[in-house]
Amino acid sequence: MAVQLAAQEAKGWARLGDRRQTEVALDRGRKLLEGMPYPENLDHHFVVDPAKFDFYAMDCYRLLGEDRFAVNLAREVIRAGTDFDGSERSPMRMAAARITLGVAAARQGDLDRAVNYGEWALKGDRQSLPSLLMVSRELAAIINRDYATETAGREYLDHLTALSRPS
């Protein structure tokens, strides 16, 4: 539980834009994780394994705009979350990793790649639409700011709006 609290603290600092405090919290969480045995039940919500910690760190670096770190961690989250047969074990982590790749692509000026990652994330199996929409808003904000007049950008924003409406 202490590892997850450190990771959540790091995300809070990242949302505030404080890279130094984010790194301190991530460091503390990683040290705690390294001192623990590998968890037996990875499906338990409060269990943090190295892959889940990478997921938290990915979120932090995406929030801080540290795209190189965020992209590397997103790729690792996708690799670790893909089973030998290609099936996805952690659909929410996978979706957030794809949004992270989309955010980085959008920041680099590649709208098509950004929208492709964003749509891929929205089409996957997921358990928490509100959580996915919250992460997707980061990509939406960039698209709205930089690409709102482009068709692909408008279509992605319209898709998010439709998903956000109550059924």
Side-chain angles (χ1 to χ4, degrees), residues 1-129:
M1 187 78 148
V3 175
Q4 192 166 21
L5 289 173
Q8 291 294 346
E9 178 187 349
K11 283 176 67 171
W13 286 117
R15 281 189 183 96
L16 293 171
D18 190 326
R19 176 164 181 166
R20 184 181 166 294
Q21 290 301 322
T22 301
E23 294 281 352
V24 167
L26 284 174
D27 241 18
R28 185 171 57 257
R30 196 166 305 280
K31 285 177 184 165
L32 287 166
L33 184 62
E34 288 170 357
M36 300 170 71
Y38 196 80
E40 292 179 27
N41 181 3
L42 297 180
D43 292 329
H44 190 284
H45 181 70
F46 292 109
V47 168
V48 178
D49 61 289
K52 191 173 194 177
F53 197 82
D54 285 346
F55 165 74
Y56 285 123
M58 173 197 75
D59 277 350
C60 292
Y61 288 119
R62 182 189 65 247
L63 288 163
L64 290 170
E66 295 288 344
D67 292 337
R68 187 171 52 94
F69 294 127
V71 165
N72 286 338
L73 287 164
R75 289 183 181 137
E76 180 57 24
V77 166
I78 291 170
R79 187 204 61 74
T82 303
D83 223 335
F84 67 92
D85 63 358
S87 63
E88 297 182 357
R89 290 187 302 267
S90 306
M92 286 304 300
R93 288 187 209 172
M94 303 292 265
R98 290 185 178 108
I99 293 292
T100 297
L101 294 171
V103 166
R107 287 179 181 153
Q108 294 167 0
D110 191 341
L111 175 62
D112 290 335
R113 197 164 45 111
V115 168
N116 285 338
Y117 278 123
E119 289 292 346
W120 191 3
L122 295 175
K123 290 177 186 166
D125 293 330
R126 57 191 170 270
Q127 298 166 346
S128 174
L129 184 58

